[in-house]
Amino acid sequence: MSLFDRFVGHLFKRGEITMILADGTAKVFGSPDAALKPVTIRFVDKGVPAFIARNPHLHAAEAYMDGRLVIEQGDIRDLVDLVRANGKWEEGRVTLRGTLSSLVRDRLRARIQAFNDARRAKANVAHHYDLNDRLYDLFLDVDRQYSCAYFTDPANDLDTAQADKKAHIAAKLHLKPGQRVLDIGCGWGGMALYLNRAADVDVLGVTLSEEQLKVARQRAEAAGVSGRVKFELIDYRALDGRFDRIVSVGMFEHVGVPQYEAFFLKCRELLADDGVMLLHTIGRFGVPGKTDAFTLKYIFPGGYNPALSEIVSASQQAKMIVADVETLRLHYGLTLDRWYDRTMAAKDAIVALYDERFFRMWTFYLAGARAAFIHGNLCNYQIQYIRDRRALPITRDYMAEAEKALPR
Amino acid sequence: MSLFDRFVGHLFKRGEITMILADGTAKVFGSPDAALKPVTIRFVDKGVPAFIARNPHLHAAEAYMDGRLVIEQGDIRDLVDLVRANGKWEEGRVTLRGTLSSLVRDRLRARIQAFNDARRAKANVAHHYDLNDRLYDLFLDVDRQYSCAYFTDPANDLDTAQADKKAHIAAKLHLKPGQRVLDIGCGWGGMALYLNRAADVDVLGVTLSEEQLKVARQRAEAAGVSGRVKFELIDYRALDGRFDRIVSVGMFEHVGVPQYEAFFLKCRELLADDGVMLLHTIGRFGVPGKTDAFTLKYIFPGGYNPALSEIVSASQQAKMIVADVETLRLHYGLTLDRWYDRTMAAKDAIVALYDERFFRMWTFYLAGARAAFIHGNLCNYQIQYIRDRRALPITRDYMAEAEKALPR
């Protein structure tokens, strides 16, 4: 048996993968598994396997994007699912990382991520969120919620799950009419508009994306609430004033570990003494890790998904009291399934907007993220913060009551 | 103005305290405050103020225990409340600690706490929990729950709040009839007996206290469930086998930071793949701190109340997934209020069991702990753990539903 056969045979145990080499030879690895679809891939030129072996995650993505790795049976979601279900990459990374002292690793990461200043932050945001508006319409829900949805039933559709997510978050904010709410990283304004409509509050949404700002303002105008729901193109660090409530959904992933304490100190400064804050962010179950090279290079420059200890260490240093943590486990996997399906259905339109390579990059991103939530270490944390121990009712019963009563 | 006057005047701003010196001079400090009862104390000999100044927290406790500091108006709860409401001690400690690098501090603590081996653990437990059985009957609730109660209404009585606590915890365990449950640090068996009665499960409770073991076994016999609710005198580290559920209430405070990872690794080993664990422990809101000298010397040798980051860092290292965190904020203050009232009402019986000095030590302990939960950094964490992301329903709705249905 060749080295290639032995290596690949070691990687794939669950599920069946057929590889067609450049010379036409077909090799089958693994064994059938009811939970995993069989996949056939073709290496277009004979350099592809060695290219991938040198930097597996990044180069597999690039070989796929460049059309050097072609999927003949199944799609990229099936392929990534099969790879992640076998889990060897994850283990390999863990073993490799185990040989570096955690100190060295932390320092390296700190050095890389320390420079998330306002200008860099804006460039990172523009890289992703200033993509053609039309793209987001094609794969997101009707309200353009670009973060983990909340599935009261795993069979729910995307619009329902995103509406339930907004209600779930609003319930944890314990809102009262007339309160001032700050939405840090407001996206296209959906959450801000919802909170105003659902709880009669005034909202300031801030974003670093000019595209998002434009859309959010138009929506507030169209809804006739631009006097009560305002949007600004401003770094949250430049804000002042006090807010009764702060909500931040899917923005913390861009903050960077060295900035966490500053983030929470700023939030504490902006939060009223009896205020409540709800942080909704991707995180990981286990120990701190690092963002994969593909995501950093093509999708989210500067992006990082924290371990819970990293969030809590920073927030407790800033004297923010953790009142409640809910770990949304499979919800993001379900969300990404919907986004992937919508992306596939909109293939022609997306290729027309960009090109085939972009489409493959985008589907690789969604498939990879989905698999990380289903097989890997990713999850979504909702963390509720207060400054004063008396800021919320003594039990959590108010959450379920509010959630039932809130509009969808 | 004397140095004494200036120093004490700086300590007391809120509330009114009158100090009668050994020579009969009376001095009044602070100013009236509706939330704080005025207190009058007397220093019996003229060395008392300097003695307290040398080591305020420990020596104030010892001067009170030894009858050298006498409370003439109000009681020890009022006095401690007034001191903590002014918050200067806490601040003083923070400033002092700030001058030590966190590295040095962590190493010192690690060295002190590293030796929590099985023999030491048993001695620490015996120090507190092998006190005369009768004492616990006098100040605890009817079920002898010696941990934070759960007040669905702050006006509830102790028996109600402890019954609600057991239901609150049972709901988070997501129990099914016939499951095997492990109770680590089972006390006098109340939780184990409740879980069996409420959810038809088999329970093994373990304790290091011979007094607790005896009582717990007698109770299981008396209830006719000794075939299904068993108790053993064994260190949790010596257990083997697998359990569907693990519950640990008020035991983690005795584990010690250097043992946290080993604790969670052992729990993971003992927990079924689809198991659920509920940890109920005192903790602190802010950064890691240290146990005060009085508590370590007289009440809980080896005791330590962790910051949330310390718990989470250790558990994520052991690959335990945090599914849910609830921070019980004022509940322990309310619990300690009830315990204090019952202790005061049972003064004669407690003095007859021990002596006046023990009674003053005990009231100082309860008053000090109460104030730390109301004015200081203490709280009670309930952390729900799983090994597998699919081990629990996708939303938390099952908790509220179970809680309503569970017996009290």
Side-chain angles (χ1 to χ4, degrees):
Chain A
M1 204 195 297
S2 75
L3 187 64
F4 175 84
D5 290 3
R6 266 189 290 164
F7 181 71
V8 179
H10 176 70
L11 280 182
F12 295 97
K13 304 288 187 199
R14 295 184 51 198
E16 200 175 80
I17 184 164
T18 304
M19 297 187 183
I20 303 171
L21 305 188
D23 64 6
T25 323
K27 291 164 181 288
V28 184
F29 300 96
S31 54
D33 184 313
L36 296 164
K37 292 189 195 155
V39 177
T40 300
I41 62 176
R42 183 164 57 82
F43 299 124
V44 172
D45 61 88
K46 73 182 187 0
V48 176
F51 174 71
I52 293 176
R54 278 204 299 281
N55 189 346
H57 192 82
L58 180 63
H59 286 184
E62 291 181 337
Y64 176 68
M65 286 161 61
D66 294 339
R68 297 173 67 195
L69 185 165
V70 175
I71 301 175
E72 308 249 316
Q73 183 194 2
D75 63 17
I76 186 68
R77 175 166 57 184
D78 302 330
L79 174 59
V80 173
D81 202 28
L82 197 151
V83 171
R84 291 303 296 259
N86 281 284
K88 294 298 190 314
W89 279 7
E90 198 80 18
E91 281 171 35
R93 268 173 53 194
V94 169
T95 311
L96 185 66
R97 283 212 313 271
T99 63
L100 296 167
S101 88
S102 66
L103 191 68
V104 172
R105 196 180 68 227
D106 290 354
R107 275 192 196 156
L108 273 174
R109 195 174 58 225
R111 199 177 300 172
I112 293 164
Q113 297 186 332
F115 302 105
N116 194 12
D117 59 22
R119 205 171 41 174
R120 168 75 60 96
K122 189 159 186 298
N124 285 344
V125 164
H127 178 95
H128 195 90
Y129 300 102
D130 286 354
L131 284 171
N132 193 309
D133 232 33
R134 178 98 179 90
L135 172 68
Y136 293 103
D137 273 338
L138 289 169
F139 84 96
L140 295 179
D141 64 302
V142 66
D143 193 46
R144 275 207 211 159
Q145 289 292 312
Y146 193 15
S147 53
C148 181
Y150 182 69
F151 290 82
T152 57
D153 182 328
N156 282 355
D157 66 31
L158 185 60
D159 288 335
T160 302
Q162 291 293 11
D164 286 337
K165 182 261 288 288
K166 284 174 277 180
H168 198 58
I169 288 174
K172 292 183 180 185
L173 285 169
H174 195 50
L175 298 161
K176 288 167 195 130
Q179 285 184 326
R180 282 194 77 202
V181 181
L182 171 65
D183 181 356
I184 301 178
C186 63
W188 295 276
M191 179 64 72
L193 291 163
Y194 172 75
L195 294 180
N196 167 263
R197 176 169 69 86
D200 193 26
V201 292
D202 295 291
V203 190
L204 171 65
V206 300
T207 175
L208 292 177
S209 161
E210 301 187 11
E211 284 295 314
Q212 292 184 333
L213 178 77
K214 198 178 63 186
V215 174
R217 283 186 170 167
Q218 283 165 356
R219 293 178 68 188
E221 284 289 345
V225 294
S226 56
R228 299 197 62 196
V229 183
K230 299 188 172 165
F231 297 99
E232 298 292 342
L233 189 76
I234 189 170
D235 193 293
Y236 73 96
R237 290 166 284 197
L239 288 168
D240 46 32
R242 302 290 288 280
F243 296 86
D244 301 302
R245 300 292 185 260
I246 297 177
V247 64
S248 186
V249 179
M251 174 276 184
F252 193 73
E253 296 87 328
H254 304 291
V255 170
V257 183
Q259 299 289 335
Y260 284 179
E261 194 178 329
F263 172 84
F264 286 111
L265 282 168
K266 187 69 197 180
C267 289
R268 188 173 200 277
E269 182 192 315
L270 293 167
L271 192 62
D273 290 346
D274 61 350
V276 179
M277 169 169 162
L278 195 285
L279 178 69
H280 172 111
T281 180
I282 298 174
R284 61 181 74 229
F285 291 141
V287 296
K290 64 184 182 66
T291 310
D292 69 89
F294 165 78
T295 303
L296 278 180
K297 184 170 178 182
Y298 292 100
I299 309 297
F300 292 114
Y304 180 71
N305 301 321
L308 185 55
S309 67
E310 294 179 294
I311 308 174
V312 168
S313 293
S315 61
Q316 76 191 14
Q317 200 74 38
K319 296 191 179 178
M320 291 288 271
I321 296 176
V322 172
D324 183 86
V325 179
E326 180 178 11
T327 306
L328 300 177
R329 297 176 305 279
L330 294 164
H331 296 266
Y332 222 142
L334 294 167
T335 307
L336 280 151
D337 253 339
R338 272 55 168 182
W339 291 348
Y340 184 88
D341 288 339
R342 287 178 58 80
T343 297
M344 292 303 269
K347 178 174 179 179
D348 293 347
I350 295 172
V351 170
L353 271 176
Y354 298 94
D355 56 25
E356 290 269 1
R357 188 170 183 271
F358 178 92
F359 181 78
R360 286 194 296 262
M361 180 191 82
W362 202 256
T363 52
F364 187 91
Y365 149 53
L366 296 175
R370 171 188 172 277
F373 284 99
I374 293 177
H375 304 292
N377 289 331
L378 293 192
C379 61
N380 193 97
Y381 293 116
Q382 287 193 340
I383 310 182
Q384 185 195 45
Y385 288 104
I386 48 180
R387 289 180 52 146
D388 184 298
R389 79 194 74 196
R390 289 172 183 79
L392 284 167
I394 196 165
T395 76
R396 305 197 291 199
D397 298 345
Y398 67 91
M399 288 187 196
E401 285 160 26
E403 194 165 357
K404 258 178 232 151
L406 281 160
R408 297 298 194 273
Chain B
M1 203 196 297
S2 74
L3 187 64
F4 176 85
D5 289 3
R6 266 190 290 163
F7 181 72
V8 179
H10 175 70
L11 281 182
F12 294 98
K13 304 288 187 197
R14 294 184 51 197
E16 201 175 79
I17 184 164
T18 304
M19 296 187 184
I20 304 172
L21 305 188
D23 65 6
T25 323
K27 292 165 181 287
V28 184
F29 299 96
S31 54
D33 184 312
L36 296 164
K37 293 189 195 156
V39 176
T40 300
I41 61 175
R42 183 163 58 80
F43 299 124
V44 172
D45 61 87
K46 74 182 185 3
V48 177
F51 174 70
I52 293 176
R54 278 204 298 281
N55 189 348
H57 192 80
L58 180 62
H59 285 184
E62 291 181 338
Y64 175 68
M65 284 162 61
D66 294 339
R68 296 174 65 196
L69 186 164
V70 175
I71 301 175
E72 306 250 315
Q73 183 195 4
D75 63 16
I76 186 67
R77 175 167 56 183
D78 301 330
L79 173 59
V80 173
D81 202 28
L82 196 151
V83 171
R84 290 302 295 259
N86 281 285
K88 294 297 192 311
W89 278 6
E90 198 80 17
E91 281 172 35
R93 267 173 53 194
V94 169
T95 311
L96 185 66
R97 284 211 313 269
T99 63
L100 297 166
S101 89
S102 65
L103 191 69
V104 172
R105 197 178 67 227
D106 289 354
R107 274 192 198 155
L108 273 173
R109 195 174 57 223
R111 198 177 302 173
I112 292 163
Q113 297 186 334
F115 302 106
N116 194 12
D117 59 21
R119 206 170 42 175
R120 169 74 60 96
K122 189 159 186 298
N124 286 344
V125 164
H127 177 96
H128 195 89
Y129 299 101
D130 286 353
L131 284 171
N132 193 309
D133 232 32
R134 178 98 178 91
L135 171 68
Y136 294 104
D137 273 339
L138 289 170
F139 85 95
L140 296 179
D141 64 302
V142 66
D143 194 45
R144 273 206 212 161
Q145 289 292 312
Y146 193 14
S147 53
C148 181
Y150 182 69
F151 289 82
T152 58
D153 182 328
N156 282 356
D157 65 32
L158 185 60
D159 288 336
T160 302
Q162 290 293 11
D164 285 337
K165 181 261 289 286
K166 284 174 277 180
H168 197 59
I169 288 174
K172 292 183 180 184
L173 285 169
H174 196 48
L175 298 161
K176 288 167 196 129
Q179 284 184 326
R180 281 194 77 202
V181 181
L182 172 64
D183 181 356
I184 301 178
C186 63
W188 296 276
M191 178 64 73
L193 291 163
Y194 172 77
L195 294 180
N196 166 262
R197 176 168 69 86
D200 193 26
V201 292
D202 295 290
V203 190
L204 172 64
V206 299
T207 175
L208 292 177
S209 161
E210 300 187 13
E211 284 295 314
Q212 292 184 334
L213 178 76
K214 197 178 63 187
V215 174
R217 284 185 169 167
Q218 284 166 355
R219 293 178 68 188
E221 283 289 344
V225 294
S226 57
R228 300 197 62 195
V229 183
K230 298 186 174 168
F231 297 99
E232 297 292 342
L233 189 76
I234 189 171
D235 192 293
Y236 73 96
R237 289 167 285 197
L239 288 168
D240 47 31
R242 302 290 289 279
F243 297 86
D244 302 302
R245 300 293 185 259
I246 297 178
V247 64
S248 186
V249 179
M251 174 275 183
F252 193 73
E253 296 88 328
H254 304 290
V255 170
V257 182
Q259 299 289 336
Y260 284 179
E261 195 179 327
F263 172 85
F264 286 111
L265 281 169
K266 186 68 196 180
C267 289
R268 189 174 199 277
E269 182 191 315
L270 293 167
L271 192 63
D273 290 346
D274 61 350
V276 179
M277 169 171 163
L278 196 284
L279 179 69
H280 172 112
T281 180
I282 298 174
R284 60 181 73 230
F285 290 141
V287 296
K290 64 185 180 67
T291 310
D292 68 89
F294 165 77
T295 303
L296 278 180
K297 183 170 178 181
Y298 291 101
I299 309 297
F300 292 113
Y304 178 71
N305 300 321
L308 184 55
S309 68
E310 294 178 294
I311 307 174
V312 168
S313 292
S315 61
Q316 76 191 14
Q317 200 73 38
K319 296 191 180 179
M320 291 288 271
I321 296 177
V322 172
D324 183 87
V325 179
E326 180 179 10
T327 306
L328 300 177
R329 297 177 304 279
L330 294 165
H331 295 266
Y332 222 143
L334 294 167
T335 307
L336 280 152
D337 254 338
R338 274 53 168 185
W339 290 349
Y340 184 89
D341 288 339
R342 286 178 58 80
T343 297
M344 292 303 269
K347 179 174 180 179
D348 293 348
I350 295 172
V351 170
L353 272 176
Y354 297 95
D355 56 25
E356 290 269 1
R357 188 170 184 272
F358 178 92
F359 181 78
R360 287 193 296 262
M361 179 191 82
W362 202 256
T363 52
F364 187 91
Y365 149 53
L366 296 175
R370 171 188 173 278
F373 283 99
I374 293 177
H375 303 292
N377 290 331
L378 293 192
C379 61
N380 193 96
Y381 292 116
Q382 288 193 340
I383 310 183
Q384 185 195 45
Y385 287 103
I386 49 180
R387 290 180 53 146
D388 184 296
R389 78 195 74 195
R390 289 172 183 79
L392 284 167
I394 196 166
T395 76
R396 304 197 292 199
D397 297 345
Y398 67 90
M399 288 186 196
E401 284 159 28
E403 195 166 357
K404 258 178 232 152
L406 281 160
R408 297 300 192 272

